């Protein structure tokens, strides 16, 4: 029933047991998701606690995911402010929580954002901070994330998309020194004619 307002408030036992917490999304930043923790509500006790609870947001990072810039845009498009999310604690590093983030899609379906970002090709698999490399959970999650990344790679999605032949030719022509010098000369010529 306690509302956590910073990563240090969360007991070590919660992190070690990989407890799932519920929260309300406030902002998506370069550092991670800023989430307001929603504690379990017990009618009378919750009403009393609200009066003394401090305000604060938890910084939740997507564990095992190195986000590409396109991934940030995708998250901002997919997630809405004040949306309810679930985050499973995997580790705590400084002021941030390393988590698996789950979003409800319909009544009985939830999607793991960590996997979905990799499946769409908006990031790369990274080391899962906070979990020991020799633990079964680490390898189970790492395998899931690698499978999601492999799907994007096979379908050439997101960062794994290969340029077409015409795009490669266009890029080579535009980066050619002679063409660049010619463009500069044409721009200079236009500027001198306009005067």
């Amino acid at each position: 029933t306690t509302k956590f307002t910073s990563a240090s408030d969360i007991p070590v036992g919660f992190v070690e047991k990989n407890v799932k917490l519920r929260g309300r999304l406030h902002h998506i930043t370069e550092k991670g998701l800023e989430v307001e923790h929603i504690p379990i509500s017990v009618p009378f006790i919750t009403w009393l606690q609200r009066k003394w609870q401090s305000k604060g947001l938890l910084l939740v990072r997507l564990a095992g995911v190195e986000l590409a810039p396109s991934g940030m845009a995708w998250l901002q498009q997919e997630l809405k402010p004040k949306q309810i999310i679930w985050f499973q604690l995997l580790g705590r590093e400084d002021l941030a929580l390393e988590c698996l983030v789950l979003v409800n899609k319909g009544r009985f379906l939830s999607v793991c954002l960590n996997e979905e970002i990799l499946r769409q090709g908006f990031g790369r698999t990274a080391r899962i901070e906070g979990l020991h490399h020799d633990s079964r959970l680490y390898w189970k999650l790492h395998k899931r994330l690698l499978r999601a990344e492999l799907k994007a790679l096979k379908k050439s999605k997101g960062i794994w998309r290969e340029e077409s032949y015409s795009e490669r030719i266009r890029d080579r022509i535009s980066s050619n020194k002679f063409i660049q010098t010619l463009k500069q000369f044409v721009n200079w010529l236009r500027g001198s004619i306009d005067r």
Side-chain angles (χ1 to χ4, degrees):
T1 59
T2 304
K3 182 175 182 176
F4 302 124
T5 55
S6 74
S8 57
D9 292 348
I10 297 174
V12 176
F14 278 39
V15 178
E16 288 172 352
K17 291 178 182 172
N18 308 116
V19 172
K20 277 186 192 173
L21 299 175
R22 188 171 59 134
R24 184 175 287 118
L25 179 72
H26 278 261
H27 305 285
I28 299 168
T29 66
E30 299 284 323
K31 295 177 183 174
L33 308 175
E34 291 181 351
V35 178
E36 175 189 0
H37 174 237
I38 301 172
I40 296 170
S41 60
V42 178
F44 183 70
I45 296 170
T46 303
W47 179 79
L48 281 175
Q49 282 184 326
R50 276 193 193 133
K51 293 183 176 189
W52 292 285
Q53 286 175 341
S54 59
K55 303 240 184 247
L57 299 176
L58 299 172
L59 180 61
V60 174
R61 288 196 297 224
L62 299 170
V65 177
E66 183 184 315
L67 206 59
S70 54
M72 179 71 73
W74 183 82
L75 276 175
Q76 289 169 341
Q77 182 182 5
E78 283 295 306
L79 300 175
K80 308 295 179 234
K82 306 294 182 192
Q83 184 172 352
I84 302 297
I85 62 171
W86 287 86
F87 49 102
Q88 184 176 3
L89 303 170
L90 299 177
R92 177 173 42 201
E93 191 178 311
D94 300 327
L95 301 173
L97 299 167
E98 297 288 331
C99 302
L100 282 182
V101 178
L102 303 163
V103 177
N104 287 337
K105 296 281 185 183
R107 198 170 193 146
F108 301 107
L109 180 69
S110 65
V111 174
C112 177
L113 279 183
N114 308 53
E115 288 181 72
E116 192 59 29
I117 283 173
L118 295 172
R119 200 175 294 119
Q120 297 297 326
F122 295 131
R124 287 187 160 88
T125 305
R127 182 173 181 265
I128 302 171
E129 299 296 331
L131 285 179
H132 296 290
H133 281 309
D134 55 350
S135 73
R136 288 178 67 183
L137 180 61
Y138 180 91
W139 290 108
K140 179 183 171 189
L141 292 175
H142 197 61
K143 196 161 63 172
R144 275 175 50 191
L145 296 176
L146 284 172
R147 277 193 196 127
E149 185 176 4
L150 187 61
K151 284 182 182 178
L153 182 63
K154 284 181 178 177
K155 293 181 180 179
S156 296
K157 287 177 133 185
I159 60 174
W160 306 110
R161 188 175 87 70
E162 292 183 15
E163 292 181 328
S164 67
Y165 181 72
S166 60
E167 289 173 328
R168 284 189 298 230
I169 296 296
R170 187 186 64 227
D171 289 345
R172 285 187 185 147
I173 289 172
S174 66
S175 64
N176 185 306
K177 293 283 185 198
F178 176 73
I179 299 294
Q180 289 177 349
T181 307
L182 190 60
K183 282 181 183 177
Q184 288 173 349
F185 176 71
V186 169
N187 287 337
W188 173 80
L189 194 60
R190 282 183 187 157
S192 62
I193 291 173
D194 290 339
R195 291 181 194 157

